[in-house]
Amino acid sequence: MSSWLGGLGTGLGQSLGQVGGSLASLTGQISNFTKDMLMEGTEEVEAEFPNSRRKEIEAIHAVLRSENERLKKLCTDLEEKHEASELQIKQQSTSYRNQLQQKEVEISHLKARQIALQEQFLKLQSAAQSAHSGAGGVPATTASSSFGYGLSHTSAFHDDGMDFGDIISSQQEINRLSNEVSRLESEVGHWRHIAQTSKAQGTHNSDQSEICKLQNIIKELKQNRSQEIDDHQHEMSVLQNAHQQKLTEISRRHREELSDYEERIEELENLLQQGGSGVTETDHSKIQEMQKNIQVLQTEKLESTKKIEELEDQIKDINKKLSSVENDRDVLRREQEQLNVEKRQIIEECESLKLECSKLQQSDTVTEKERILSQSTSVEEVFRLRQALSDAENEIMRLSSLNQDNSLAEDNLKLKMQVQVLEKEKSLLSQEKEELQISLLKLNNEYEVSKSTATRDMSLDSELRDLRLNLEAKEQELSQSINEKEILVAELEELDKQNQAATKHMILIKDQLSKQRNEGDSIIRKLKQDLEDEKKRVHQLEDDKMNITKELDVQKEQLIQSELVLNELHLTKQKLEEKVEDLVDQLNKSQKNNLNTQEENFELKEHTKQNEEELSRVRNELMQSLNQDSSSNFKDNVLKERQAEVRNLKQNLSELEELNENLKKVAFDLKMENEKLVLACEDIRQQLEETVADNNRISLEKSTIVETLKVEKGQIEAELCQAEKRLLEETNKYKQTIEELSNARDLNTSALQLEHERLIKLSQEKDFEIAELKKNIEQMDTDHKETKEILSSSLEEQKQLTQLIHEKEILIEKLEERSSELQEELDKYSQALRKNEILRQTIEEKDRSLGSMKEENNHLQEELERLREQQSRAVPVAEPKTLDSVTGLESEVSQLNTLKDHLEEEIKHYQKIIEDQNQSKMQLLQSLQEQKKEMDEFRYQHEQMNVTHTQLFVEKDEEIKNLQKTIEQIKTQLHEERQDIQTENSDIFQETKVQSLNIENGSEKHDLSKAETEKLVKGIKERELEIKLLNEKNISLTKQIDQLSKDEVGKLTQIIQQKDLEIQALHARISSASYTQDVVYLQQQLQAYAMEREKVLAVLSEKTRENSHLKTEYHKMMDIVAAKEAALIKLQDENKKLSTRFESSSQDMFRETVQNLSRIIREKDIEIDALSQKCQTLLAVLQTSSSGDEVGGVNSNQFEELLQERDKLKQQVKKMEEWKQQVMTTVQNMQHESAQLQEELHQLQAQVLVESDNNSKLQVDYTGLIQSYEQNETKLKNFGQELAQVQHSIGQLYNTKDLLLGKLDIISPQLSSGSPLTPQSAESLRASNSDVPNESSQFLQQEIEELRKSLQEKDATIRTLQENNHRLSDSMAASSELERKKYEQTDSEIKELKEKQDILQKLLKEKDLLIKAKSDQLLFSNENFTNKVNENELLRQAVTNLKERILILEMDISKLKGENEKIVETSKGKETEYQALQETNMKFSMMLREREFECHSMKEKALAFEQLLKEKEQGKTGELNQLLNAVKSMQEKTVTFQQERDQVMLSLKQKQMENSALQNEVQRLRDKEFRLNQELERLRNHLLESEDSYTREVLAAEDREAKLRKKVTVLEEKLVSSSNAMENASHQASLQVESLQEQLNVVSKQRDKIALQLSASQEEVKQYALSLANLQMVLEHFQQEEKAMYSAELEKQKQLIAEWKKKTENLEGKVVSLQERLDEANAALDSASRLTEQLDLKEEQIEELKKQNELRQEMLDDVQKKLMNLVNSTEGKVDKVLMRNLFIGHFHTPKNQRHEVLRLMGSILGVKREEMEQLFNEDRGGVTRWMTGWLGGGSKSVPNTPLRPNQQSVFNSSFSELFVKFLETESHPSVPPPKLSVHDMKPLDSPGRRKLDTNVSESFKDTMESRSGRRADVNPFLAPRSAAVPLINPAGLGPGGPGHLLLKPISDVLPTFTPLPVSPDNSAGVVLKDLLKQ
């Protein structure tokens, strides 16, 4: 007893030492005083014991005292250590804070999640309040958590996150407790060896088997992943091969074209060299060339027919492929429909899951936020895709315009080069120009069509154009050969007529020649018809190819759409997976809530046990009071109570089982959903693979089509070569005939007369030719006009390009303005954040802001409506491309119809010609009919293709309509989302209103409403800022729109819409999206951890209290056992055996356990011992436990078994926890990896997009270059044809001149007849001039002047011929030698050109290799990307599988826990049975003892009777009576002693059982606490790791992005350089070709002239000798005229040349300006990219500043809290010296003035004047009343409220009783002032505060009455707390209902901190009084 009181005294001293060290000495004196006082009571008890037991007890007492002192030393050491550790912790915290400041960037996203956690915590708090209101004894848990350093932590948790120092201190506490647990486990260590039996091994094996299963699953997943990676790599390799094949084909084609050009250049150079020395060449070479041309044309015709057949076959194959592609497309559509169905199912399942989760959490807010997020993300995705499409279209347009620009520049250069040639040869173009014109029109139409279609068809179109141009070139060559042939025929006819007059022989020769001529004509016509038919066929085939390519493009688009659909499905799948993960998180949270409820159930169980202990105490009191009563009634009552308790426990267990079953169902549902999602993923993968295979097929088909077209081109070229050979053969034949005729003419004697006739005929033919030339001049005029129109169109295109460049510049300026605006917005946001932080501090503005919030809400609604109107105005206009394409097609159809008509007319014309000719041409007619049939078939095919085109356009229109519908749907969705947001805001406002009204109730809703109003104020201010910014942007944009043209308005509106959508998405993110959710979620998690920690601390405090109770019970039982042992040793030998066993077996162990427990208890007593209810409960326990302590051997064995079972279970649980931790770590690692992979995936996607854009740009550039190259080639060919025509016309002119000269020679001998001829010719010329219309008169004059010049030149040459007649033979030999030399020179030049060609080919190969390398790099990056995607998907699957496994394991753990509980229940049942058996055994033993005692008494009676008989005999009857009375009294005493002994034994057994049960409970709770601490540490580590990994991944991603950007820029530069080099090379080649062609034309002209002159001069030298003298006079006259004409013509030519030079200079200037603008645009783009990078940097800096700001705010809050704590602590304390002086002064003052002293004391203690007066009125007892008030309720720091009249006052009590009362009040802790956070403080004028102030007194009266009434129900084991305010809210405090006050804000409920006294009825004072009485 004394030792216990001593321990209590020391505990009190230490607890009060925390408040003030001075009380320690006082309490030591008090403890000594209490010892002296209580020794009076104990001496009475000790007198009963024998001296031996007393000595033993004194020895135990001394041991306990020494132990007490040792524990005191330990406590002081621990305090010193604690202070040192606190210093260390401060240092560590400073270093940690520095690290935290460095890692603020990493913590930003955690801060965002913290707000979400806070909201969740508030919800959990409300749920916890509702849960605690039902439980009666929850205040104990919270009260204990509010003690000691726990209070500071709880206050800190209510604010922003935990302080680092608090975390470290809690960690130290956890470590200390774990050390103590390890000590206890070492004491029970020898039982652990027994515990490691088959059960643990079985569980371990099961765990291992599960681990093996998991490992196998992981291996399978890895294998699947590797397979998928291989498949993807294979696909990538196939794509690479296809790409490489395409590249090789393009490069090969380019090389072939280059080689063709170089061959042509070599041929031209050869011709040039030959032309210099071809003066004396004969007609033989010309005839041979003509024959060769004819042969070549025939061979080409055959080849063209073969090619046409092959093209038809290819068309059939392509149709087959189209049908197969259509089938594949149908299959894809079906699969897409199936996917849509599966998607709907998944969405429905997700909705059902959402509903279940909402039922679990009782709130749908999270799901709404997720829905809004998903919608916003989907909207953003759609708009992003559209923006990308529009950007791509803009890029294509820009590139096409650039290509046009380039082609124009090249055209200008070529025009400069060839203007002079055109001007010279302009007057000599023939009928073939019309055909060229038609083909040019066709080409123009085709070019327009190709422009309207996508740029993908450019390569195929260019190839088709090459074929067309080649065909046209060959046709022109054919026409030239035909013209030459016709000229030769005319010459033959003239020779025939001359020879008919001379001889009959000549007539025969003429007939033969006419036959040959007819045959040649027929052959030529046949060839013409064949070529035309082939042309038609080729055109039809080209149209078919165009249609096929269009169909392929359509299918490509469909494939792209299907891929987009698949991508959308992937996105939806990812969203669903995220939702599933969120649901899993929610399930985990619900499991945590279930665990919390389980903990609460355990607490309720503990309360029931405490109630049981109270019941047992009451029972013992009843036993003492009703000793005479029978034991049977007591046992029945006990049984009934036990049954009731068992029922309650069973109900609790059934509830827990239902909860567990619900959790299992939810987990099973989640598993099923996960499986479904996995199946959906697999389906989507299969579809992806199929789409990739289809793409590969399509690419292969394209490549095959391109190859077939190339083959066809080669065949057509070969056919043309054959046709040329045939023509050459025919020309050779004609030359032979001409030679024969010339030989015959040499023989003719009358040649001069025939020559005269021939000249006359020639003059007539010249007249006809002049008429034809006039026609040609008219055609040239039209051509000139057309060229002018083309130039004007090109200029217009240049203007359009300049406009586009201007638009780009304007857009760049706008982007710069927007970037500046964004920076301003960021500054404004940072300012707004600062203002929001200031708003937190200003609490009073929150109530005023409710009215302003309504106005702001209305303003926001108006703004949103205005924005909607703006959006509705800016409806996206349908693209006019479809209309352009329709009009283009219509124009094409009309052109094709006109072409058809022309072709039909030509066919009719040719039919007439064929009918006119001989019967031999009937075969040609048949072939023509066959070709007509083919034409009809082609027409039918063409019509079909037109029909398909119309269908395609209809489909395109439908797609456009669908897109418009989707846009409208998205708009409606946006409107709905905004409405939802508005409704949510309005709901929040309504909630805040309701909550502001409900503040009066004093419930938690007020704080919730405050937090929400703060958030709303912030959100509204942010919205206002954003709306202002939007208004500013709209104003600036409207200004810009007014300035811009209508075309620019459309583009700007689209951009504005995109930016508005982005801003809205940002608003959604900022206001209600994941940012706030993350912050709230983190805060909720932190608060949940804080709650868990508080609960753990509460449980610990309870357990320590229970341990102290057990210790006290043990001490009492030891004392009682010591008291009873002396009496019981004499009664029975069994008791001796039991006592010896007990002492030998379990006393040592019990002492050790008691010592260890006492350490824990003493450490906990520092925090808890000073509370009043502990005294109550301990005294009650002292009273009840009046029975002895004795443990039997059987009981110890059972105890050992129970310990073994507990150890086994512990080990199993530890193993399971370790395995769970391993799984969790693996899951965390996988999550980290998946997060990294996701980030890499996003980066790679961005890279792939950038690279694909670059590739598309490069492809467009490449196609543009090829186009321009091909256009240049066609122009070159056209110019070459025109040159050839001009040469031909010059040759004709030379012939006419020779004829005229011949006529003049004939005329010279007959001057009389010759003189009238000239005027006749002049007259004929004048007539012809007069016939010509006025428009072409100038041109005719020019022609006449040229003819005159040529005549003068010919006269000069004739003169020279006369002079140099003899030298001609020498010059012939020389010329032949020169020709040989020139041939050799040309051969050498050809070799040089070949070498150049090789160099160019090498350069081309290098460029191709570069392109290949770049493409390989691209493919490699794509492969990496796909691999990453696959790995990510596999990791996701693994994570989901692991989550499922974790859920299964948690289910198993819960099952095992349930089984453990069942085992514990069965063991308890067995214990109860064992107790019952022991009790029956004890009863039987008691019965035996009673019988023995009766026998003994009977024997004594017999002896007494014998003595009586003897005394009777002796006569001593009185003595006998006395003896009989003594015997009766002794019998009664023995019976009572036996009954007391039996009762003591029974109670001892019960206490032992209870003790063992409590120890088991303590052990279990310690284990649970350890587990919870481990979980806390693990979660903290996980958070830190996730932050670190996130920051690392972000940095790595940024590095990668920068590297890839650099790579892309390098590639672009290389591409640009290569493209420039290619352009230069092609340009140089074209220039070389042009120069060589010009040289060739000149040489050919010279050769023709020389050949004609040679033949004429050789034949007619002798004949012209006589006429030369006459002609000289005429020639001089002619020369003068010619000189004048020539000078005029030269001046005109010079003027024209000057004009063309000016034009070219202007064009060059324009080109230079355009180039400069392009460079400026590129520079602006670079600057824009730099600005974006700077913006990103600024955003990062702003985030860092925000985090620093938040840190500063936290530090400010901490400082404010510390200030508030200081103020409260200083306010609560009263000066000890002052109070002592007042107290002493009160007694020294006279009685009439003592009221003034009391008033002074009341004013110091904060008692109001009215209350003081009321106390004085109620005062009746004088000094004793004041003393009782001071000693009963007063403490140093807590003023006492006076007693009410209904409470029993202790007036006339002894000083010892008063002192006991004082001890009670002193044991109450001085309740530290509660820490009020800034958020919890209320404004002074808040309605709740006013109400509380008015209702305080009434409420406290009510509470006092209720407490005094319900005192018996209070659990004595609860944590003692100050009675100032009841922790369970009484009914008097308003309509808030029952709610736990510790979970509510202190400012609402605690107006004062004065403690109400405990009612003295059932207080600890009564117990002490009883003790003192004993």
Side-chain angles (χ1 to χ4, degrees), residues 496-626:
D496 288 339
K497 283 171 189 176
Q498 288 169 10
N499 288 321
Q500 271 175 0
T503 56
K504 289 174 186 179
H505 179 69
M506 290 299 286
I507 290 157
L508 291 167
I509 291 160
K510 260 188 202 175
D511 292 329
Q512 287 172 2
L513 285 167
S514 65
K515 282 176 190 176
Q516 286 175 0
R517 182 175 63 79
N518 289 324
E519 283 170 4
D521 288 335
S522 65
I523 290 157
I524 287 154
R525 279 167 194 157
K526 279 179 191 174
L527 288 166
K528 268 191 191 175
Q529 285 166 7
D530 293 337
L531 280 167
E532 281 167 1
D533 295 332
E534 282 165 6
K535 270 190 228 166
K536 288 168 191 173
R537 272 195 193 177
V538 167
H539 284 303
Q540 285 174 354
L541 288 166
E542 282 166 3
D543 293 331
D544 292 337
K545 278 179 190 172
M546 288 288 287
N547 294 327
I548 287 154
T549 50
K550 282 173 188 172
E551 281 179 358
L552 280 167
D553 291 328
V554 170
Q555 283 175 355
K556 271 188 213 165
E557 286 169 359
Q558 286 173 356
L559 276 168
I560 289 155
Q561 286 173 0
S562 65
E563 283 174 356
L564 288 167
V565 170
L566 277 171
N567 289 325
E568 286 172 359
L569 285 169
H570 276 299
L571 290 165
T572 51
K573 188 195 83 175
Q574 286 172 2
K575 286 172 192 169
L576 288 169
E577 283 176 354
E578 287 168 0
K579 283 179 186 175
V580 168
E581 285 172 359
D582 292 330
L583 291 169
V584 171
D585 293 331
Q586 288 170 10
L587 242 184
N588 291 327
K589 286 173 193 170
S590 64
Q591 283 176 354
K592 284 177 186 174
N593 291 328
N594 282 325
L595 289 167
N596 292 330
T597 52
Q598 282 175 1
E599 285 173 4
E600 285 167 8
N601 285 326
F602 280 120
E603 285 165 10
L604 288 168
K605 280 184 191 174
E606 285 159 15
H607 290 309
T608 52
K609 283 173 190 172
Q610 287 166 3
N611 288 324
E612 279 175 18
E613 285 171 3
E614 271 194 350
L615 282 166
S616 65
R617 182 170 59 75
V618 172
R619 235 185 280 144
N620 289 321
E621 285 172 1
L622 282 165
M623 285 283 284
Q624 283 178 359
S625 63
L626 302 166

Side-chain angles (χ1 to χ4, degrees), residues 629-643:
D629 294 346
S630 63
S631 61
S632 64
N633 293 325
F634 178 75
K635 283 168 189 172
D636 293 331
N637 292 325
V638 169
L639 280 165
K640 283 173 190 173
E641 286 166 359
R642 283 285 167 88
Q643 285 170 357

Side-chain angles (χ1 to χ4, degrees), residues 1325-1441:
L1325 283 166
R1326 280 170 201 160
S1328 64
N1329 281 322
S1330 64
D1331 294 329
V1332 175
N1334 293 319
E1335 288 176 357
S1336 60
S1337 62
Q1338 290 177 357
F1339 290 102
L1340 285 165
Q1341 284 174 1
Q1342 287 175 6
E1343 289 291 324
I1344 290 154
E1345 283 168 0
E1346 283 172 1
L1347 286 164
R1348 283 175 186 170
K1349 285 174 194 173
S1350 61
L1351 277 166
Q1352 285 173 4
E1353 284 170 3
K1354 296 310 169 220
D1355 293 331
T1357 51
I1358 288 155
R1359 284 176 192 171
T1360 52
L1361 285 164
Q1362 284 174 351
E1363 287 168 1
N1364 301 319
N1365 200 2
H1366 300 287
R1367 298 173 194 170
L1368 278 169
S1369 59
D1370 300 327
S1371 65
M1372 277 289 284
S1375 64
S1376 63
E1377 285 171 0
L1378 282 164
E1379 271 183 354
R1380 284 172 196 166
K1381 285 174 187 176
K1382 282 194 177 178
Y1383 273 121
E1384 287 169 1
Q1385 284 175 3
T1386 49
D1387 289 328
S1388 62
E1389 280 174 5
I1390 286 156
K1391 283 174 188 175
E1392 285 171 3
L1393 285 164
K1394 276 180 183 173
E1395 286 169 2
K1396 284 178 187 174
Q1397 185 186 353
D1398 293 327
I1399 290 155
L1400 286 164
Q1401 280 180 345
K1402 283 175 187 174
L1403 282 165
L1404 261 173
K1405 281 175 186 173
E1406 285 171 2
K1407 296 286 178 255
D1408 290 330
L1409 287 165
L1410 273 169
I1411 291 155
K1412 279 182 189 174
K1414 299 297 170 213
S1415 64
D1416 290 333
Q1417 284 176 3
L1418 231 179
L1419 290 162
F1420 184 69
S1421 63
N1422 285 329
E1423 278 182 359
N1424 286 331
F1425 169 63
T1426 48
N1427 292 333
K1428 288 281 162 70
V1429 169
N1430 294 326
E1431 284 170 7
N1432 198 2
E1433 284 175 356
L1434 288 165
L1435 287 166
R1436 272 191 195 158
Q1437 286 180 355
V1439 166
T1440 51
N1441 291 328

Side-chain angles (χ1 to χ4, degrees), residues 17 125 429 438 448 472 862 887 892 908 938 1007 1174 1515 1527 1590 1642 1951:
Q125 224 178 16
L429 286 167
I438 291 157
E448 285 168 1
E472 285 161 6
E862 288 168 4
T887 51
E892 249 192 330
K908 285 171 188 175
F938 282 127
D1007 282 315
K1174 182 181 175 184
V1527 164
Y1590 185 75
V1642 172

Side-chain angles (χ1 to χ4, degrees), residues 981-1029:
I981 291 155
Q982 284 178 357
T983 51
E984 280 176 9
N985 289 331
S986 63
D987 293 335
I988 291 156
F989 284 127
Q990 286 168 5
E991 282 173 12
T992 51
K993 283 181 207 166
V994 173
Q995 285 164 357
S996 65
L997 292 167
N998 288 335
I999 287 159
E1000 296 163 8
N1001 303 339
S1003 64
E1004 189 212 355
K1005 286 176 189 175
H1006 184 78
D1007 282 315
L1008 289 165
S1009 69
K1010 274 190 177 184
E1012 283 170 0
T1013 49
E1014 281 174 7
K1015 285 170 193 170
L1016 283 164
V1017 168
K1018 289 175 192 174
I1020 287 155
K1021 284 184 178 177
E1022 287 170 0
R1023 288 279 174 86
E1024 281 180 344
L1025 287 165
E1026 286 159 7
I1027 287 153
K1028 284 174 189 174
L1029 292 164

Side-chain angles (χ1 to χ4, degrees), residues 951-1055:
Q951 285 175 359
L952 284 167
F953 282 121
V954 170
E955 285 173 1
K956 285 285 159 94
D957 292 328
E958 284 174 357
E959 283 175 2
I960 288 153
K961 284 174 188 173
N962 291 325
L963 281 168
Q964 286 174 349
K965 284 177 188 174
T966 50
I967 289 156
E968 286 168 359
Q969 286 172 3
I970 288 153
K971 281 181 184 170
T972 52
Q973 282 178 2
L974 276 169
H975 290 309
E976 285 169 4
E977 280 176 12
R978 284 175 189 158
Q979 286 168 5
D980 291 333
I981 291 155
Q982 284 178 357
T983 51
E984 280 176 9
N985 289 331
S986 63
D987 293 335
I988 291 156
F989 284 127
Q990 286 168 5
E991 282 173 12
T992 51
K993 283 181 207 166
V994 173
Q995 285 164 357
S996 65
L997 292 167
N998 288 335
I999 287 159
E1000 296 163 8
N1001 303 339
S1003 64
E1004 189 212 355
K1005 286 176 189 175
H1006 184 78
D1007 282 315
L1008 289 165
S1009 69
K1010 274 190 177 184
E1012 283 170 0
T1013 49
E1014 281 174 7
K1015 285 170 193 170
L1016 283 164
V1017 168
K1018 289 175 192 174
I1020 287 155
K1021 284 184 178 177
E1022 287 170 0
R1023 288 279 174 86
E1024 281 180 344
L1025 287 165
E1026 286 159 7
I1027 287 153
K1028 284 174 189 174
L1029 292 164
L1030 284 165
N1031 288 327
E1032 289 171 3
K1033 278 186 184 177
N1034 286 326
I1035 290 154
S1036 64
L1037 285 167
T1038 46
K1039 284 176 187 174
Q1040 288 171 0
I1041 285 156
D1042 292 328
Q1043 289 168 7
L1044 290 163
S1045 65
K1046 286 178 184 178
D1047 296 329
E1048 288 168 352
V1049 165
K1051 291 174 188 175
L1052 283 167
T1053 47
Q1054 285 175 1
I1055 292 155

